[in-house]
Amino acid sequence: MTIEQAQESVDNWIKTTGVRYFNELTNTAILMEEVGEVARIMSRKYGEQSFKKSDEEVNLADEMADVLFVLICLANQTGIDLNEALIKNLEKKSIRDADRHKNNEKLK
């Protein structure tokens, strides 16, 4: 699935199953919640925190998909073409950081 297809699929799902988009501020809050769920898993799986009994059935891929879904909702609501935005962002990073990371002693 391309990014464009993902945006179309999410829009279709919202309009047929989800009834309508939550407003942008609500979706921003939901995005923060979902990112927090990813952070919770990451801090326990790869960091120093330990899992609680209630954390045993976590699914990192599903939580990342939740983040992507809400981000796509926000892009759709605000008229952003994520494919175009990502291409421009990578171009910006390629110019700005052409030598930055290569010259970073911390990365060697």
Side-chain angles (χ1 to χ4, degrees):
M1 178 182 297
T2 66
I3 296 173
E4 181 180 357
Q5 290 168 332
Q7 283 193 252
E8 290 172 6
S9 293
V10 168
D11 190 59
N12 184 57
W13 186 92
I14 291 292
K15 291 175 178 173
T16 60
T17 305
V19 180
R20 66 170 179 83
Y21 285 94
F22 294 127
N23 70 46
E24 295 85 352
L25 290 177
T26 299
N27 271 337
T28 299
I30 293 169
L31 178 62
M32 296 305 101
E33 289 175 7
E34 298 298 349
V35 169
E37 291 176 18
V38 169
R40 181 180 184 88
I41 294 170
M42 296 299 289
S43 69
R44 283 158 177 74
K45 187 168 182 174
Y46 301 101
E48 284 78 35
Q49 280 196 314
S50 60
F51 282 97
K52 297 178 183 176
K53 193 84 167 153
S54 61
D55 293 330
E56 289 178 353
E57 299 298 320
V58 297
N59 182 329
L60 182 58
D62 187 56
E63 296 302 337
M64 286 185 175
D66 285 342
V67 169
L68 184 57
F69 180 89
V70 180
L71 183 63
I72 289 171
C73 285
L74 284 166
N76 287 349
Q77 289 175 275
T78 57
I80 293 172
D81 177 334
L82 285 173
N83 187 65
E84 182 181 319
L86 182 59
I87 289 168
K88 287 180 181 177
N89 187 269
L90 287 170
E91 288 171 357
K92 175 188 76 176
K93 284 175 172 47
S94 294
I95 293 166
R96 182 190 67 199
D97 301 330
D99 295 317
R100 179 174 165 225
H101 299 299
K102 293 175 190 171
N103 297 327
N104 183 347
E105 291 297 321
K106 295 177 187 177
L107 298 178
K108 294 182 181 185

